[in-house]
Amino acid sequence: MVKFEEVLAKVKQFHPNDDLEVLKEAYRFSADQHKGQHRESGEPFLNHPVAVANILADMRLDSSCVSVGLLHDVVEDTVIPLKKIEQHFGKDIANIINGLTKIRKFHIDSKEAEQAENFRRMFLAMVDDIRVVLVKLADRLHNMRTLKFLPPERRTRIAQETLDIYAPIAHRLGMGKIRGELEDLAFITLSPESYFQIEKEVKEKRKIRKKFLNDTKEKLIKKCKQHKISCTVESRIKRTYSIYQKVKNQKIPVEQVYDLLAIRIITASVDDCYVVLGIIHNLWQPVPGRIKDYIALPRPNMYQSIHTSVIEKRGQPFEVQIRTNEMHRVAEEGIAAHWKYKLGQKTDKNDDQRFLWLRHLVEWHQEVNDPSDFLRALKVDLYPEEVYTFSPKGKVVALPRQATPVDFAYAIHSEVGDSCVGAKVNGRIVSLKSQLKNGDIVEIQTQRGQFPNRDWLSFVKTYRARNRIKHYLNVNQKKKAIELGRRILEKEARRYKINIKKYIEDGSLLNVAQEFNCAKMEDLYVALGFGRVFGRTLLSKVLSPEELKDRFSEKTGFLSSTVKKVFRRPLQDTLKVKNIDDILVSRAKCCNPIKGEEIVGYLTRGKGVAVHATRCTNVGNLLYNADRKVDVLWTGINEGLYGVKLSISVDDRRGMLAEITSQISKIKTNIKDIEAQSFEDNRGLINVTIEVDDIKHLEKTIKSIKMIKNINEIVWQ
Ligand code: MN
């Protein structure tokens, strides 16, 4: 059992300037609150918080962090409101305790690898102060050490959770020692047979191996002395759980685990590390492909070392790790060690380089003047791109930041998304647009017969949701077009007393359809529905010339114009919707865009795509619905198709009109219409409609008119 005095002494040793009164007060407070409580083992409950504080003190954390170790169960196990903690111990300590309470409500119980990873990430995403994680790990470590007192079922659950979540988190934060202990403790609980099997195999030859390691150590120390390198040499036999994993994953006997035996050399400088590497490769045969230089290329969790595997004369392989003192501390204690270094000294440029990865994850508080505030000021956002949410059944759903309940619904299942009508977050009804936060429990309400809403596209954040909604809208639109197309055809057929059924059944309509690039009747209906093909055009092609004569010409006189339309190159040839062929495209009447102008397409209901010039004042209003915006292009050649009305205001003088007309015809531009007005103040207005090929042609024409004297302004409508 750890005594509080020991903890106090450690903090005093590592942090001589810290306020120990806070620590003592935390102890008194905790002792008072946990009075009369006992653990499952029968010992007083207070032993647990003291042990946790001791683990934190060993990590050389400061007095407030160790105080949290003492207080961590106070809010949970007794009825102390957080406010009281804050009054007693200040905001900093209260905040860490609050962070602990926040993550305590999640019981993580999943063997699914992907879910476990999501849990780990969510766990880290939910804390903004990494000290919360450190206290949680210390708490878990002590609970694991005393696990045997719990009933078997809880034991298994906690051990599995430790293996799935906490050990990997310790690993991720670079805390090798804690990770190793957590893993072994969990392993004993979960598979005692495998554990003892491996233990046995390792133990059998333990004596021989111990001797081997000692001999090797001595040899190495001697050599280093010859090279005047001061170093400490440690040796170890690999941890049981790690051996088990290698044996299991690589399907090899314990003997063949290369790093079963390992020697570690801790030097004073980086240069010495490389000299020692040379010495080792001189003494023993290195195994090809097993030299790893994590000094030059540190691992993302800041781990640095040189690794190499060598084989001794008699065939015994072992691993060698070479690192400096500082690297050793980081390897053993990870993030905690990093903080230790940071405390009491300002960051320098080198540090910035070394912890580049951390800066990725960490939001630095720029205004840190007092370096001792570093710990407190260090706020982390470990997954700034993501948010982790729960289904009511406890499944973790990872989404991008700012994701909404609709994204969540589609992440669960596309049908849930399609029929979603409302959402509850943490039991409260929220809007489908609201943004989800880490740890939110999201419940989606669905209703049969509900469909995705076009408006959702304006706020969903996931590709999955976006694609599904678009897919639905497209399918739906096509369905509607087919229906509309079929009705149009029937109506036209009735009008001209054509038995359309006959032409459908004998396939002649389908033959004609192919002329319009429609392979199936369905495509033909879509084309009719979108207005790409006109019903009468189609019918005129199905009927024989005699039938045509009878039906159309006398009645409506429409045939001639229909036929003309078919033969005349239609306007839409020069306009094309990007990536789509079978859709009607027309120029918007409000702005009549001219070939070459900047244009934008707008998907209308039932009339295909209307193309506006971007200068058009309607564009802003229409395109509020971004989803109906389509990219359109000018293609092909088309001459003299664009009638443009120019209003030319002039000083009225003799010959003006003639000059303008001659100037226009000089550059081979057709005038379709021209009219002139004069006003009392000696001003005139000439409206001329010209035909141009494209925007360049128009610009050329305007430029050439402007060369005439006394032209004031030309407005193009
Ligand atoms: Mn605890």
Side-chain angles (χ1 to χ4, degrees):
M1 198 195 82
V2 188
K3 282 193 177 135
F4 173 63
E5 285 68 31
E6 293 173 45
V7 179
L8 198 63
K10 280 178 195 167
V11 177
K12 207 170 174 179
Q13 186 195 337
F14 297 133
H15 299 272
N17 301 325
D18 272 17
D19 181 5
L20 295 178
E21 283 313 307
V22 176
L23 199 59
K24 286 179 195 161
E25 177 58 20
Y27 177 70
R28 278 192 293 270
F29 194 89
S30 180
D32 195 33
Q33 295 301 327
H34 292 304
K35 205 179 202 170
Q37 295 177 348
H38 290 87
R39 302 201 90 206
E40 302 269 352
S41 60
E43 58 178 336
F45 190 90
L46 186 63
N47 290 1
H48 168 64
V50 173
V52 171
N54 186 50
I55 294 169
L56 293 165
D58 281 336
M59 287 156 84
R60 306 192 192 191
L61 293 166
D62 65 356
S63 136
S64 43
C65 204
V66 177
S67 300
V68 173
L70 289 166
L71 297 167
H72 80 273
D73 273 328
V74 160
V75 178
E76 182 74 6
D77 294 342
T78 60
V79 213
I80 297 294
L82 198 63
K83 262 224 166 116
K84 196 165 175 195
I85 298 283
E86 194 180 321
Q87 282 161 7
H88 247 82
F89 300 99
K91 253 207 168 122
D92 191 35
I93 286 178
N95 276 343
I96 305 175
I97 291 182
N98 188 31
L100 282 166
T101 329
K102 232 170 41 182
I103 54 179
R104 187 156 7 203
K105 60 180 168 182
F106 300 118
H107 281 294
I108 300 151
D109 179 22
S110 175
K111 283 179 189 158
E112 214 182 303
E114 192 193 334
Q115 274 289 290
E117 173 58 19
N118 276 338
F119 271 115
R120 293 193 284 265
R121 284 165 163 252
M122 186 192 62
F123 181 90
L124 290 172
M126 283 194 57
V127 297
D128 60 357
D129 187 328
I130 209 91
R131 286 177 297 177
V132 173
V133 182
L134 299 184
V135 176
K136 187 72 198 173
L137 287 174
D139 181 29
R140 177 53 57 117
L141 183 58
H142 184 247
N143 284 336
M144 285 301 292
R145 283 176 184 167
T146 53
L147 199 62
K148 56 175 180 266
F149 299 106
L150 295 186
E153 206 178 287
R154 273 182 69 196
R155 226 186 295 170
T156 314
R157 184 183 66 73
I158 292 174
Q160 188 67 52
E161 187 183 78
T162 301
L163 208 54
D164 289 341
I165 312 297
Y166 293 99
I169 285 175
H171 176 53
R172 193 162 297 177
L173 300 181
M175 309 168 95
K177 224 161 105 187
I178 289 189
R179 173 213 180 184
E181 196 180 343
L182 286 174
E183 281 179 347
D184 274 1
L185 288 166
F187 185 37
I188 299 175
T189 312
L190 292 171
S191 330
E193 272 170 36
S194 309
Y195 181 89
F196 291 115
Q197 172 68 31
I198 292 202
E199 269 287 287
K200 205 180 120 211
E201 280 183 49
V202 177
K203 248 184 208 156
E204 271 169 10
K205 293 188 182 166
R206 188 170 284 260
K207 260 195 184 164
I208 310 169
R209 290 192 174 121
K210 272 253 161 86
K211 187 174 178 322
F212 171 81
L213 283 176
N214 281 336
D215 294 351
T216 311
K217 246 161 95 175
E218 264 172 41
K219 208 170 177 179
L220 199 55
I221 291 171
K222 221 169 101 190
K223 272 281 170 194
C224 284
K225 263 193 188 147
Q226 283 172 15
H227 284 82
K228 296 200 171 68
I229 286 173
S230 68
C231 59
T232 18
V233 181
E234 297 174 347
S235 64
R236 63 125 180 88
I237 299 174
K238 197 176 177 67
R239 275 196 171 269
T240 317
Y241 183 66
S242 305
I243 299 174
Y244 169 71
Q245 277 193 310
K246 284 227 164 148
V247 167
K248 204 179 82 179
N249 294 342
Q250 300 178 7
K251 297 192 175 67
I252 47 168
V254 174
E255 296 302 304
Q256 279 175 28
V257 176
Y258 265 122
D259 56 351
L260 179 67
L261 303 180
I263 301 260
R264 182 179 294 146
I265 302 124
I266 299 161
T267 67
S269 72
V270 173
D271 284 350
D272 286 355
C273 290
Y274 289 100
V275 176
V276 169
L277 180 70
I279 293 171
I280 286 163
H281 285 173
N282 222 340
L283 281 172
W284 299 287
Q285 172 88 39
V287 179
R290 292 201 46 103
I291 305 163
K292 284 167 196 143
D293 186 349
Y294 297 119
I295 291 181
L297 298 164
R299 282 184 178 163
N301 64 2
M302 314 193 288
Y303 178 84
Q304 286 187 294
S305 265
I306 298 170
H307 290 193
T308 178
S309 290
V310 293
I311 299 179
E312 192 260 355
K313 258 188 286 172
R314 276 157 298 175
Q316 174 67 55
F318 61 99
E319 193 188 75
V320 183
Q321 299 176 351
I322 311 160
R323 53 173 81 141
T324 65
N325 280 308
E326 189 186 333
M327 291 169 192
H328 183 57
R329 280 263 301 140
V330 172
E332 295 288 295
E333 284 163 44
I335 279 202
H338 162 54
W339 283 352
K340 171 63 192 143
Y341 283 108
K342 289 294 198 174
L343 279 166
Q345 68 186 59
K346 288 206 169 182
T347 54
D348 64 33
K349 263 207 176 133
N350 253 342
D351 265 358
D352 280 358
Q353 279 298 315
R354 269 179 55 218
F355 299 117
L356 203 66
W357 74 275
L358 188 67
R359 283 205 283 129
H360 251 326
L361 309 174
V362 171
E363 175 196 327
W364 295 91
H365 275 222
Q366 300 296 331
E367 301 82 0
V368 181
N369 291 324
D370 177 5
S372 70
D373 276 345
F374 182 84
L375 217 62
R376 241 158 287 154
L378 186 73
K379 295 282 176 204
V380 289
D381 195 349
L382 287 158
Y383 300 98
E385 321 263 270
E386 280 151 76
V387 57
Y388 295 87
T389 56
F390 275 109
S391 77
K393 283 183 188 155
K395 184 182 153 77
V396 180
V397 179
L399 296 166
R401 280 279 160 109
Q402 300 182 317
T404 63
V406 175
D407 293 295
F408 183 95
Y410 276 105
I412 295 287
H413 197 279
S414 45
E415 273 174 29
V416 176
D418 282 348
S419 58
C420 131
V421 287
K424 276 184 179 175
V425 167
N426 304 325
R428 250 185 237 159
I429 293 176
V430 298
S431 122
L432 286 177
K433 269 190 213 176
S434 59
Q435 292 180 358
L436 299 175
K437 292 190 299 296
N438 274 315
D440 276 350
I441 300 169
V442 187
E443 199 180 329
I444 298 294
Q445 294 158 325
T446 57
Q447 210 173 76
R448 266 190 145 190
Q450 281 297 316
F451 304 111
N453 189 324
R454 191 179 286 274
D455 297 341
W456 292 355
L457 287 170
S458 65
F459 59 76
V460 293
K461 287 287 176 296
T462 51
Y463 289 112
R464 190 184 158 89
R466 184 169 299 277
N467 284 343
R468 285 292 312 178
I469 297 165
K470 277 192 175 166
H471 174 75
Y472 171 81
L473 294 173
N474 283 340
V475 168
N476 193 42
Q477 201 178 32
K478 197 174 165 191
K479 257 191 214 156
K480 280 188 180 158
I482 290 173
E483 243 178 70
L484 187 66
R486 188 174 277 138
R487 276 214 314 271
I488 289 173
L489 187 65
E490 281 167 7
K491 200 173 135 199
E492 291 290 279
R494 261 201 313 276
R495 185 166 166 193
Y496 299 110
K497 301 203 169 60
I498 295 167
N499 180 8
I500 194 68
K501 243 187 177 172
K502 187 185 115 194
Y503 297 106
I504 295 174
E505 276 162 13
D506 71 8
S508 50
L509 192 63
L510 191 61
N511 280 340
V512 175
Q514 273 150 11
E515 281 182 42
F516 298 97
N517 292 324
C518 299
K520 291 177 295 182
M521 279 307 288
E522 207 175 70
D523 300 338
L524 182 66
Y525 292 135
V526 171
L528 280 163
F530 275 129
R532 187 175 67 83
V533 174
F534 295 103
R536 276 168 285 201
T537 316
L538 192 67
L539 292 174
S540 72
K541 291 202 157 205
V542 172
L543 304 184
S544 65
E546 296 80 47
E547 285 172 306
L548 266 177
K549 215 173 172 189
D550 292 349
R551 288 174 207 270
F552 291 105
S553 53
E554 42 187 70
K555 237 182 206 163
T556 60
F558 185 75
L559 180 64
S560 51
S561 63
T562 308
V563 172
K564 242 190 218 161
K565 247 187 191 163
V566 172
F567 287 107
R568 188 180 164 201
R569 201 204 309 231
L571 178 66
Q572 63 233 51
D573 272 11
T574 54
L575 278 166
K576 191 178 173 310
V577 174
K578 230 180 190 172
N579 305 325
I580 305 173
D581 284 325
D582 63 340
I583 194 157
L584 178 75
V585 187
S586 60
R587 290 195 300 154
K589 290 206 177 69
C590 50
C591 53
N592 275 319
I594 295 162
K595 186 174 178 186
E597 257 199 287
E598 260 188 66
I599 46 174
V600 60
Y602 177 73
L603 194 63
T604 64
R605 290 190 205 276
K607 282 186 218 151
V609 173
V611 176
H612 294 260
T614 47
R615 64 180 155 81
C616 175
T617 48
N618 283 335
V619 164
N621 297 331
L622 287 170
L623 293 181
Y624 68 94
N625 194 339
D627 188 52
R628 291 171 75 170
K629 186 181 151 185
V630 284
D631 287 337
V632 281
L633 315 161
W634 294 106
T635 63
I637 314 154
N638 227 316
E639 284 163 1
L641 258 177
Y642 305 97
V644 178
K645 187 173 160 192
L646 298 177
S647 291
I648 310 167
S649 85
V650 297
D651 290 342
D652 199 8
R653 63 171 167 81
R654 191 184 288 258
M656 183 53 109
L657 195 60
E659 243 178 89
I660 288 175
T661 45
S662 99
Q663 191 77 354
I664 291 175
S665 8
K666 229 193 263 170
I667 54 164
K668 296 192 172 95
T669 303
N670 278 336
I671 296 173
K672 273 185 83 181
D673 186 46
I674 190 159
E675 57 175 38
Q677 277 174 283
S678 47
F679 304 102
E680 283 178 358
D681 61 350
N682 207 31
R683 282 171 181 273
L685 185 70
I686 295 164
N687 286 325
V688 56
T689 305
I690 55 171
E691 282 185 326
V692 293
D693 298 339
D694 56 21
I695 189 79
K696 275 190 187 145
H697 186 181
L698 176 65
E699 280 164 359
K700 200 170 134 196
T701 311
I702 292 175
K703 206 173 156 192
S704 113
I705 299 171
K706 273 189 177 160
M707 281 156 64
I708 302 168
K709 260 189 196 165
N710 302 104
I711 300 279
N712 295 324
E713 199 188 6
I714 302 175
V715 178
W716 151 36
Q717 288 173 337

